Structure formats: C-alpha cells, structure tokens
Amino acid sequence: MGRCPNHKTGSQKGYSHKRARRAKFLVKGDDAIYGELQSLEGKESTLPGVDEDLPGLGKFYCLHCDRYFVSAAFRDEHFRTKRHKKRIKLMQGEAPHTQLDAELAAGMSMPDNGPRLRDGISMGL
C-alpha cells in the first residue's frame, strides 16, 4: 500500500519553518527603510567600507529591500524581479505606518493626568 509518489513531507519540499522564521526578523521594517530613503534623498549615497561579515564584503546592497548580494550580477538580477519593483513602488508612495501610529489607533496614547502642580505647593492648604 504505501504513499502516493507525489506526496512529500515538509522537509522534502525544501521548506524549512526555522529558516523562514529567521529570515522574517532579519529585515528592517518598512518604516525604517522609508526613513533612510527620505534622509538620503538629494544626497549622494555612500555605503560603509568593506565588511567581511556581509555577502560580497558589503559592496552590493539594495537599499529598498535591505539586502546584500555576493556580486553585481546577482544584484542586477534582483533589480529585475517583481518583488524589488513592488518594494520601490511601496517606498515611493505615502509613508508606511509606524509603531506610534499603531499605538495611537489602539488608544494607547500617553495618559492625560490633568494639569501638573508645582512641587511643594499644595492647592488650598
């Protein structure tokens, strides 16, 4: 009896839950990338020097996607992908939501405790 020949488990499909979760937290948020793009607007972009820990020694970087590449060929190939083009369109639009926006929408603003009294002076005593 056995299994159908097309039935594969998760590890056989090449999908790793651990790898997918790790990659989720290694990228910067949209609001952080948008802020960097706004601060670099009108300025000549300069990348930091050689970093041995990064792919391609940190020379080949995509600012919109926050990714480093091994060579210019791989970076140029990335520039032609749909994912990169969507990121560019997202970053050219209005500013993404920030953590402050989310907290204000949830009603988690700073508490209003009324007017602040001067220290040492009590009211009416």
Side-chain angles (χ1 to χ4, degrees):
M1 295 247 155
R3 290 187 168 180
C4 175
N6 293 332
H7 184 78
K8 294 181 180 180
T9 62
S11 62
Q12 294 171 336
K13 290 180 185 177
Y15 175 77
S16 170
H17 175 72
K18 187 174 182 179
R19 190 178 337 142
R21 294 289 293 169
R22 186 182 306 130
K24 179 178 181 183
F25 296 108
L26 292 178
V27 297
K28 293 181 188 174
D30 292 344
D31 54 338
I33 295 173
Y34 186 83
E36 285 182 14
L37 286 171
Q38 295 303 315
S39 66
L40 291 176
E41 191 172 293
K43 298 179 185 175
E44 185 177 326
S45 65
T46 57
L47 292 176
V50 175
D51 189 357
E52 294 179 3
D53 295 333
L54 296 173
L57 301 176
K59 294 179 184 176
F60 311 106
Y61 181 65
C62 174
L63 184 61
H64 295 92
C65 301
D66 187 39
R67 288 187 62 189
Y68 288 92
F69 297 95
V70 177
S71 67
F74 285 110
R75 185 191 60 198
D76 294 339
E77 183 179 331
H78 163 75
F79 288 159
R80 292 189 296 268
T81 61
K82 183 184 278 188
R83 183 177 188 180
H84 176 76
K85 291 175 183 176
K86 283 185 178 183
R87 292 287 298 183
I88 289 177
K89 189 182 253 187
L90 177 71
M91 293 300 155
Q92 288 176 346
E94 61 184 46
H97 297 290
T98 61
Q99 183 64 32
L100 179 63
D101 295 338
E103 289 174 358
L104 292 175
M108 296 175 54
S109 62
M110 296 295 291
D112 184 19
N113 295 331
R116 184 174 186 150
L117 301 176
R118 290 186 280 166
D119 296 332
I121 299 175
S122 61
M123 296 282 290
L125 291 177

